[in-house]
Amino acid sequence: MKLTICHLYPDLLDLYGDRGNILALAARCRWRGIEPIVQRASLGEDIDFLGMDILFIGGGSDREQGILVQDLMRREGDLRSAIDNGLVVLAICGGYQMLGKYYQMAGGEKIQGLDILDVWTIAGAKRLIGNVVVDLDQSVLDDNLDQSSKSKVESPPLRTLLGFENHSGQTHLAEGMRPLGKVSFGHGNNGEDGEEGVRYRNVFGTYLHGPLLPKNPHFADLLLELALQRREPNTCLMELDDRLEKIAHQTMVKRLLKQP
Ligand code: GLN
């Protein structure tokens, strides 16, 4: 079995080691005997989104977002079709913002977005920086994250996301758009409504760097299972022994929430 992962703009959108998400997805495939095929594409390079299983877009500075916007716009139709066909997408921070309607920077200039996500971003007066803990929305948990019925390894399923944010953009979700969850530590989408990220079809946008997936193995497996099930509906991922990853995750969550 193979799984194709596209890393879009790896040279421009790779703040805070976001490429670590690609490494985590590829490793969790290999540990299960699934061959990961990673394809990279940047300015002027074509990619067949329909042939991809997972698309990853990392974060970047305002400058890089301005550089790539025209190239991204020409991909809008193909990407929208692939997303409507169930393509799994993970977009971090700047990549997340670019899937929305627009990103208005501090000086008032707007960077156009793909308008695939019904969200918009406006730069705030201060950067939102620091660790983040998110209590995952039940709709995300119901999608394979709640491994209790399947887990062969005696440990409770993780119900939080852990990461690090650094953004001036404050993202707002239109009515009906579902966040990934509620922020229990940190700022999240905008530092005001207590929400973080967004989920639309199989598209997941989030401000969580870290990189995200090594800190959240359950979320990495959600993306992998959704991608595999799109090709073979009855696919079920073999459980991995994530005890150490879960201990690290839970230790950090407890430390941030000042829990015993
Ligand atoms: N340039 C965007 C902002 O400052 C995104 C930053 C990022 O990707 N970390 O909000």
Side-chain angles (χ1 to χ4, degrees):
M1 184 184 290
K2 298 180 180 178
L3 187 128
T4 305
I5 304 166
C6 171
H7 189 176
L8 195 56
Y9 306 122
D11 53 339
L12 292 168
L13 295 180
D14 186 30
L15 275 185
Y16 310 106
D18 284 340
R19 64 184 295 273
N21 293 301
I22 299 284
L23 301 179
L25 288 170
R28 296 186 73 81
C29 282
R30 277 193 294 273
W31 293 338
R32 293 174 164 111
I34 300 169
E35 179 190 353
I37 299 168
V38 179
Q39 293 189 15
R40 294 169 181 81
S42 191
L43 300 180
E45 296 172 332
D46 290 332
I47 198 84
D48 170 24
F49 290 119
L50 275 174
M52 297 295 115
D53 296 305
I54 295 178
L55 168 67
F56 175 73
I57 315 172
S61 73
D62 295 5
R63 176 178 173 277
E64 274 76 21
Q65 288 172 265
I67 288 170
L68 63 85
V69 62
Q70 289 314 315
D71 184 87
L72 184 62
M73 288 300 117
R74 72 176 181 81
R75 302 175 191 271
E76 183 268 334
D78 290 349
L79 180 52
R80 188 184 297 275
S81 300
I83 287 170
D84 289 347
N85 186 262
L87 173 68
V88 173
V89 180
L90 175 62
I92 308 283
C93 203
Y96 167 25
Q97 295 170 345
M98 301 298 283
L99 295 182
K101 293 179 176 301
Y102 61 82
Y103 167 39
Q104 180 175 302
M105 297 185 285
E109 182 190 356
K110 279 186 180 180
I111 298 180
Q112 184 188 1
L114 290 174
D115 196 11
I116 291 175
L117 296 176
D118 197 0
V119 306
W120 62 96
T121 302
I122 298 173
K126 71 181 179 78
R127 293 194 70 82
L128 304 180
I129 301 175
N131 288 301
V132 184
V133 178
V134 180
D135 294 320
L136 281 166
D137 187 272
Q138 192 58 42
S139 63
V140 180
L141 286 170
D142 289 344
D143 244 351
N144 307 311
L145 274 178
D146 193 350
Q147 304 287 343
S148 53
S149 58
K150 294 189 287 184
S151 177
K152 309 289 183 292
V153 179
E154 293 312 310
S155 65
L158 295 172
R159 312 180 78 84
T160 47
L161 280 186
L162 184 62
F164 180 85
E165 64 185 331
N166 182 341
H167 52 107
S168 65
Q170 297 178 6
T171 296
H172 301 271
L173 277 52
E175 194 67 32
M177 293 297 280
R178 301 291 299 267
L180 290 183
K182 291 285 188 189
V183 175
S184 52
F185 185 93
H187 305 284
N189 280 333
N190 49 51
E192 295 164 358
D193 62 17
E195 296 181 343
E196 162 50 22
V198 71
R199 181 186 182 175
Y200 166 72
R201 294 178 180 262
N202 282 343
V203 178
F204 298 85
T206 178
Y207 275 109
L208 300 191
H209 299 282
L212 174 70
L213 298 183
K215 294 186 172 196
N216 301 280
H218 53 307
F219 195 65
D221 282 355
L222 167 62
L223 301 179
L224 291 174
E225 199 153 67
L226 288 171
L228 292 170
Q229 287 175 348
R230 176 183 172 219
R231 302 281 186 208
E232 298 178 30
N234 299 320
T235 303
C236 197
L237 274 188
M238 176 186 82
E239 287 298 292
L240 296 176
D241 183 350
D242 287 333
R243 275 174 288 184
L244 286 179
E245 290 89 341
K246 287 184 177 179
I247 289 168
H249 179 104
Q250 289 164 332
T251 300
M252 192 62 190
V253 168
K254 286 178 181 173
R255 185 182 304 169
L256 292 170
L257 299 184
K258 294 182 174 37
Q259 292 173 348

